[in-house]
Amino acid sequence: MRRRPGIGGLQTAAAARDQYRLLGENVAKLRTDLMKEQLSTFRSQLEDFARKHKNDIRKNPVFRSQFHEMCAKVGVDPLASNKGFWAELLGIGDFYYELGVQIVDICLATRPHNGGLINLEELCKILSQRRKGAREAVSEDDCLRAISKLKVLGSGFEVITVGKRKLVRSVPTELKKDHNEILELSQAQGFVTVEEVERRLSWSTGRATDALETLLDEGLAMIDDGHRDGKRRYWFPCVSSISSFVASETL
């Protein structure tokens, strides 16, 4: 028969467990302290790097994007506040605040045309044209970072992906799966017809018409009835520039 451990044996086992637990806690604390020390060292080096390359960070959009990636790895957000070390050193907070204001202005100005949904590439192009006299060049990455800070204004400003394109939404319109599929289909030529949606997506006439009319009601589509074949075309300014739509009307 196996003998049960006595009280002394139980106490010894409990003491051993406590020692292992304390040892584990000490090892975890040493690792945590070491990581904190390494992060502190890296942040200090990051600040030295920022001081040394201040002008490159401000003027070169590619360099600026790489700098943001380094900051993210150590938990530093130069855009979290418009005050403090990073704002004083680089003026990054002011730069993205200015971009945000200009992006809002462009979205509002183009909303009557595109219904509040604009291609990110076109937005950046318009933004760059407006900032021709500015010292800092602007990239899509800069636009995306500025837009991410506009979320405080509500659910209206966000970036959505439709097919291979990124679209900036400035109105709280909820796009469903059918709407996204039509927008993705329209990217090839900027417009679709009911017949094309039926054929390409294998939808019924009712489903295609309902989705297209919803997009039309939301201001995201424009209709063109001026073609010889008599087929109504639904144009989407968010995937086709204003110039391409105007050019089609002259055909």
Side-chain angles (χ1 to χ4, degrees), residues 50 53-65 67 86-96 98 131 134-138 142:
H53 299 281
K54 175 180 177 179
N55 291 332
D56 290 324
I57 293 171
R58 287 181 62 92
K59 295 179 180 180
N60 188 324
V62 175
F63 198 91
R64 186 162 55 244
S65 176
F67 173 73
W86 297 107
E88 293 175 3
L89 175 64
L90 303 173
I92 286 182
D94 293 329
F95 171 71
Y96 284 103
E98 180 183 342
R131 293 176 55 85
R135 291 182 301 173
E136 304 93 349
V138 177
D142 289 326

Side-chain angles (χ1 to χ4, degrees), residues 88-236:
E88 293 175 3
L89 175 64
L90 303 173
I92 286 182
D94 293 329
F95 171 71
Y96 284 103
Y97 172 78
E98 180 183 342
L99 279 191
V101 171
Q102 292 171 338
I103 287 172
V104 170
D105 184 48
I106 292 170
C107 288
L108 291 177
T110 58
R111 187 178 292 175
H113 169 68
N114 56 34
L117 199 62
I118 183 172
N119 188 347
L120 176 64
E121 185 178 343
E122 184 174 0
L123 172 63
C124 292
K125 182 178 179 180
I126 297 173
L127 186 62
S128 296
Q129 290 174 346
R130 290 195 177 189
R131 293 176 55 85
K132 279 185 177 179
R135 291 182 301 173
E136 304 93 349
V138 177
S139 66
E140 285 193 7
D141 182 75
D142 289 326
C143 290
L144 290 172
R145 293 183 188 281
I147 291 167
S148 71
K149 300 305 172 183
L150 294 176
K151 289 183 179 179
V152 296
L153 299 178
S155 60
F157 282 91
E158 68 171 336
V159 178
I160 62 175
T161 301
V162 177
K164 297 181 180 180
R165 301 196 185 194
K166 286 184 172 62
L167 306 178
V168 180
R169 188 175 71 178
S170 59
V171 290
T173 301
E174 183 181 357
L175 295 177
K176 297 181 180 179
K177 184 174 181 292
D178 282 5
H179 305 144
N180 283 335
E181 288 191 38
I182 288 177
L183 287 173
E184 185 173 354
L185 181 61
S186 70
Q187 291 180 11
Q189 50 192 357
F191 69 88
V192 296
T193 64
V194 172
E195 294 79 7
E196 182 182 12
V197 173
E198 292 176 28
R199 185 180 69 257
R200 297 284 298 279
L201 301 180
S202 299
W203 289 2
S204 66
T205 302
R207 181 179 179 181
T209 302
D210 182 66
L212 287 167
E213 289 300 315
T214 298
L215 290 168
L216 184 63
D217 292 341
E218 292 290 343
L220 300 177
M222 302 173 69
I223 56 175
D224 178 12
D225 291 327
H227 287 261
R228 297 189 185 94
D229 59 14
K231 294 180 180 180
R232 168 171 288 186
R233 284 159 170 72
Y234 291 81
W235 281 88
F236 296 91

Side-chain angles (χ1 to χ4, degrees), residues 239-251:
V239 298
S240 60
S241 64
I242 298 175
S243 57
S244 65
F245 177 77
V246 173
S248 73
E249 293 185 313
T250 62
L251 296 177

